[in-house]
Short mmCIF file of all heavy atoms in Angstrom, two decimals:
data_model
loop_
_atom_site.label_atom_id
_atom_site.label_comp_id
_atom_site.label_asym_id
_atom_site.label_seq_id
_atom_site.Cartn_x
_atom_site.Cartn_y
_atom_site.Cartn_z
N ILE D 85 94.91 119.39 104.01
CA ILE D 85 95.15 117.95 103.78
C ILE D 85 94.68 117.12 104.98
O ILE D 85 95.32 116.16 105.40
CB ILE D 85 96.61 117.61 103.41
CG1 ILE D 85 97.26 118.74 102.62
CG2 ILE D 85 96.69 116.30 102.64
CD1 ILE D 85 98.67 118.46 102.13
N ASN D 156 105.22 113.78 117.31
CA ASN D 156 104.93 115.10 116.75
C ASN D 156 104.30 115.07 115.37
O ASN D 156 103.77 116.07 114.92
CB ASN D 156 106.23 115.90 116.62
CG ASN D 156 106.95 116.02 117.94
OD1 ASN D 156 106.64 116.89 118.72
ND2 ASN D 156 107.89 115.13 118.18
N SER D 157 104.42 113.97 114.67
CA SER D 157 104.05 113.99 113.26
C SER D 157 103.63 112.59 112.82
O SER D 157 103.83 111.61 113.54
CB SER D 157 105.26 114.41 112.42
OG SER D 157 106.26 113.42 112.53
N GLY D 158 103.11 112.54 111.60
CA GLY D 158 102.72 111.26 111.03
C GLY D 158 103.91 110.35 110.84
O GLY D 158 103.86 109.15 111.16
N ALA D 159 104.98 110.92 110.30
CA ALA D 159 106.16 110.08 110.04
C ALA D 159 106.66 109.45 111.34
O ALA D 159 107.00 108.26 111.38
CB ALA D 159 107.26 110.92 109.40
N GLU D 160 106.66 110.23 112.42
CA GLU D 160 107.11 109.66 113.70
C GLU D 160 106.15 108.58 114.21
O GLU D 160 106.59 107.62 114.85
CB GLU D 160 107.23 110.75 114.75
CG GLU D 160 108.47 111.60 114.59
CD GLU D 160 108.45 112.73 115.59
OE1 GLU D 160 108.87 112.52 116.74
OE2 GLU D 160 107.98 113.82 115.23
N ALA D 161 104.87 108.79 113.95
CA ALA D 161 103.90 107.77 114.39
C ALA D 161 104.20 106.45 113.68
O ALA D 161 104.15 105.37 114.29
CB ALA D 161 102.48 108.24 114.11
N VAL D 162 104.54 106.53 112.38
CA VAL D 162 104.84 105.31 111.62
C VAL D 162 106.19 104.74 112.06
O VAL D 162 106.35 103.53 112.26
CB VAL D 162 104.81 105.58 110.10
CG1 VAL D 162 105.24 104.35 109.32
CG2 VAL D 162 103.42 106.02 109.66
N SER D 185 102.31 103.55 98.08
CA SER D 185 102.01 104.00 99.44
C SER D 185 102.76 105.28 99.79
O SER D 185 103.78 105.62 99.18
CB SER D 185 102.42 102.90 100.42
OG SER D 185 103.76 102.52 100.14
N PHE D 186 102.25 105.97 100.79
CA PHE D 186 102.97 107.12 101.36
C PHE D 186 102.90 107.00 102.87
O PHE D 186 101.81 107.01 103.44
CB PHE D 186 102.34 108.45 100.91
CG PHE D 186 103.14 109.65 101.39
CD1 PHE D 186 104.15 110.18 100.59
CD2 PHE D 186 102.91 110.22 102.62
CE1 PHE D 186 104.93 111.26 101.04
CE2 PHE D 186 103.68 111.29 103.08
CZ PHE D 186 104.68 111.82 102.28
N HIS D 187 104.08 106.91 103.50
CA HIS D 187 104.09 106.75 104.96
C HIS D 187 104.94 107.79 105.66
O HIS D 187 105.17 107.68 106.86
CB HIS D 187 104.58 105.35 105.33
CG HIS D 187 103.64 104.26 104.90
ND1 HIS D 187 102.39 104.09 105.46
CD2 HIS D 187 103.74 103.31 103.94
CE1 HIS D 187 101.77 103.07 104.88
NE2 HIS D 187 102.57 102.58 103.94
N GLY D 188 105.43 108.79 104.91
CA GLY D 188 106.21 109.84 105.55
C GLY D 188 107.55 110.02 104.87
O GLY D 188 107.89 109.30 103.92
N ARG D 189 108.32 110.98 105.39
CA ARG D 189 109.54 111.39 104.70
C ARG D 189 110.80 111.29 105.54
O ARG D 189 111.84 111.81 105.15
CB ARG D 189 109.38 112.83 104.24
CG ARG D 189 108.36 113.04 103.13
CD ARG D 189 108.19 114.52 102.98
NE ARG D 189 107.29 114.92 101.94
CZ ARG D 189 107.65 115.10 100.67
NH1 ARG D 189 108.87 114.83 100.28
NH2 ARG D 189 106.78 115.53 99.80
N THR D 190 110.71 110.69 106.72
CA THR D 190 111.95 110.42 107.44
C THR D 190 112.62 109.24 106.74
O THR D 190 111.97 108.50 105.98
CB THR D 190 111.64 110.02 108.90
OG1 THR D 190 110.70 108.94 108.87
CG2 THR D 190 111.06 111.19 109.67
N THR D 193 110.69 105.94 107.31
CA THR D 193 109.38 105.81 106.65
C THR D 193 109.51 105.89 105.13
O THR D 193 108.69 105.32 104.41
CB THR D 193 108.38 106.87 107.14
OG1 THR D 193 108.93 108.17 106.94
CG2 THR D 193 108.06 106.68 108.60
N THR D 197 107.67 104.16 101.76
CA THR D 197 106.94 105.05 100.84
C THR D 197 107.27 104.67 99.40
O THR D 197 108.43 104.70 99.00
CB THR D 197 107.31 106.52 101.16
OG1 THR D 197 106.72 106.86 102.42
CG2 THR D 197 106.80 107.47 100.11
N GLU D 263 98.09 101.72 104.15
CA GLU D 263 97.03 102.72 104.31
C GLU D 263 95.74 102.00 103.93
O GLU D 263 95.63 101.52 102.80
CB GLU D 263 97.25 103.88 103.35
CG GLU D 263 98.49 104.70 103.58
CD GLU D 263 98.89 105.46 102.31
OE1 GLU D 263 98.38 106.56 102.09
OE2 GLU D 263 99.71 104.93 101.53
N ILE D 265 93.08 103.23 103.06
CA ILE D 265 92.74 103.91 101.81
C ILE D 265 93.96 104.74 101.46
O ILE D 265 94.41 105.55 102.29
CB ILE D 265 91.51 104.83 101.99
CG1 ILE D 265 90.29 103.99 102.38
CG2 ILE D 265 91.24 105.64 100.72
CD1 ILE D 265 89.13 104.79 102.95
N GLN D 266 94.52 104.53 100.28
CA GLN D 266 95.74 105.27 99.97
C GLN D 266 95.43 106.74 99.74
O GLN D 266 94.49 107.09 99.01
CB GLN D 266 96.41 104.67 98.73
CG GLN D 266 97.18 103.41 99.06
CD GLN D 266 98.10 102.97 97.95
OE1 GLN D 266 97.92 103.36 96.78
NE2 GLN D 266 99.08 102.15 98.29
N GLY D 267 96.25 107.62 100.36
CA GLY D 267 96.03 109.05 100.24
C GLY D 267 96.80 109.66 99.09
O GLY D 267 96.29 109.79 97.96
N VAL D 268 98.07 109.99 99.34
CA VAL D 268 98.92 110.60 98.31
C VAL D 268 98.90 109.77 97.02
O VAL D 268 98.91 110.30 95.91
CB VAL D 268 100.36 110.72 98.87
CG1 VAL D 268 101.34 111.16 97.80
CG2 VAL D 268 100.39 111.67 100.06
N ASP D 296 98.17 102.73 108.60
CA ASP D 296 98.53 104.14 108.58
C ASP D 296 97.24 104.93 108.34
O ASP D 296 96.72 104.95 107.23
CB ASP D 296 99.57 104.38 107.48
CG ASP D 296 99.97 105.84 107.37
OD1 ASP D 296 99.21 106.71 107.84
OD2 ASP D 296 101.04 106.11 106.78
N GLU D 297 96.75 105.54 109.41
CA GLU D 297 95.47 106.28 109.36
C GLU D 297 95.73 107.78 109.41
O GLU D 297 94.87 108.55 109.84
CB GLU D 297 94.59 105.86 110.54
CG GLU D 297 94.13 104.41 110.49
CD GLU D 297 92.78 104.24 109.76
OE1 GLU D 297 92.30 105.22 109.16
OE2 GLU D 297 92.25 103.12 109.81
N ILE D 298 96.92 108.16 108.98
CA ILE D 298 97.31 109.56 109.13
C ILE D 298 96.44 110.48 108.28
O ILE D 298 96.06 111.57 108.68
CB ILE D 298 98.82 109.70 108.86
CG1 ILE D 298 99.54 109.09 110.07
CG2 ILE D 298 99.25 111.14 108.61
CD1 ILE D 298 100.87 108.50 109.81
N GLN D 299 96.07 110.00 107.10
CA GLN D 299 95.18 110.80 106.26
C GLN D 299 93.72 110.33 106.38
O GLN D 299 92.79 111.11 106.29
CB GLN D 299 95.63 110.73 104.80
CG GLN D 299 94.97 111.76 103.95
CD GLN D 299 95.79 112.24 102.77
OE1 GLN D 299 95.26 112.81 101.85
NE2 GLN D 299 97.09 112.05 102.76
N SER D 300 93.53 109.04 106.58
CA SER D 300 92.17 108.49 106.50
C SER D 300 91.46 108.42 107.85
O SER D 300 90.25 108.17 107.88
CB SER D 300 92.26 107.07 105.92
OG SER D 300 93.11 106.25 106.71
N ALA D 322 98.62 104.09 113.28
CA ALA D 322 99.43 105.31 113.29
C ALA D 322 98.51 106.45 112.88
O ALA D 322 97.86 106.39 111.84
CB ALA D 322 100.60 105.19 112.33
N ALA D 324 97.85 110.96 112.93
CA ALA D 324 98.41 112.32 113.09
C ALA D 324 97.44 113.28 112.42
O ALA D 324 96.23 113.11 112.55
CB ALA D 324 99.81 112.40 112.50
N LYS D 325 97.94 114.24 111.68
CA LYS D 325 97.12 115.24 110.97
C LYS D 325 95.92 115.73 111.78
O LYS D 325 96.09 116.60 112.62
CB LYS D 325 96.67 114.68 109.62
CG LYS D 325 97.78 114.67 108.56
CD LYS D 325 97.21 114.42 107.19
CE LYS D 325 98.25 114.23 106.11
NZ LYS D 325 98.89 115.46 105.66
N ARG D 439 91.50 115.27 95.06
CA ARG D 439 90.87 114.85 96.31
C ARG D 439 90.12 116.04 96.92
O ARG D 439 90.56 117.18 96.82
CB ARG D 439 91.88 114.28 97.30
CG ARG D 439 93.06 115.16 97.55
CD ARG D 439 94.12 114.47 98.40
NE ARG D 439 95.45 114.93 98.01
CZ ARG D 439 96.55 114.72 98.69
NH1 ARG D 439 96.53 114.04 99.80
NH2 ARG D 439 97.72 115.18 98.27
C1 PLP F 30 99.14 108.32 104.88
C2 PLP F 30 100.22 109.23 105.41
N1 PLP F 30 101.18 108.72 106.19
C3 PLP F 30 102.16 109.48 106.70
C4 PLP F 30 102.21 110.84 106.43
C5 PLP F 30 103.31 111.68 107.01
O1 PLP F 30 102.79 112.57 107.95
P1 PLP F 30 103.67 113.82 108.40
O2 PLP F 30 103.77 114.72 107.22
O3 PLP F 30 102.89 114.43 109.54
O4 PLP F 30 104.99 113.31 108.83
C6 PLP F 30 101.24 111.42 105.60
C7 PLP F 30 101.29 112.84 105.26
O5 PLP F 30 100.72 113.29 104.29
C8 PLP F 30 100.21 110.60 105.07
O6 PLP F 30 99.26 111.07 104.27
#
Side-chain angles (χ1 to χ4, degrees):
I85 327 185
N156 304 276
S157 65
E160 283 175 84
V162 175
S185 52
F186 185 91
H187 294 292
R189 292 171 178 273
T190 53
T193 56
T197 290
E263 295 159 86
I265 298 164
Q266 282 193 340
V268 172
D296 179 340
E297 294 269 9
I298 287 151
Q299 194 150 162
S300 57
K325 285 193 187 284
R439 51 187 148 168

